[in-house]
Amino acid sequence: MADGHNLAKEHDDNMVLLEFSMSPLGKGESVGKYVSRSLDIIDKSGVDYRLNPMGTVLEGEWDDVLGVVKQCYERMKKDCGRISCTIKVDYRKGHTGRLQSKVASVEKRLKRSIKH
């Protein structure tokens, strides 16, 4: 039987940052309608995230963040015959809260705030 400390450590060891961008192909130049549906899924998922102009970064456990991406895919494929998706994953053992800490680390080195 694992104690609470070991369970927390196991949880930390499964945390990842996952950045993805998913867009339908063949739907014209503006795909905001489709992207906003994905953002609704992401926002309601409870997974911590940051939207950026080129995609979305999720922070959470491996299965949770991939599950969110899958939900976005399943929704998009309902009315899109072709989908392009890029995914980038950053795993760092024992680290959580990296959505904020990675930016804070850069700001500390620069000794000033940056846009984010």
Side-chain angles (χ1 to χ4, degrees), residues 10-104:
E10 181 179 316
H11 172 77
D12 290 351
D13 288 348
N14 291 320
M15 297 294 283
V16 297
L17 289 177
L18 180 149
E19 182 174 35
F20 81 109
S21 175
M22 183 179 299
S23 299
L25 300 177
K27 296 291 185 179
E29 289 183 26
S30 180
V31 293
K33 167 184 169 182
Y34 304 95
V35 172
S36 63
R37 293 189 316 205
S38 290
L39 258 293
D40 188 47
I41 291 167
I42 294 164
D43 193 52
K44 290 177 178 175
S45 75
V47 170
D48 201 7
Y49 71 94
R50 296 295 179 275
L51 174 66
N52 67 60
M54 300 293 287
T56 306
V57 182
L58 310 174
E59 181 174 26
E61 293 197 35
W62 178 260
D63 290 340
D64 293 340
V65 297
L66 283 178
V68 171
V69 173
K70 183 177 180 182
Q71 287 177 47
C72 293
Y73 162 75
E74 293 293 340
R75 175 58 188 99
M76 193 171 287
K77 80 174 196 170
K78 285 182 179 181
D79 58 358
C80 299
R82 190 168 184 189
I83 299 167
S84 173
C85 182
T86 59
I87 299 175
K88 185 167 48 171
V89 177
D90 179 7
Y91 165 75
R92 186 169 180 194
K93 186 175 183 173
H95 286 75
T96 60
R98 293 188 305 141
L99 278 174
Q100 294 84 14
S101 66
K102 289 178 75 97
V103 173

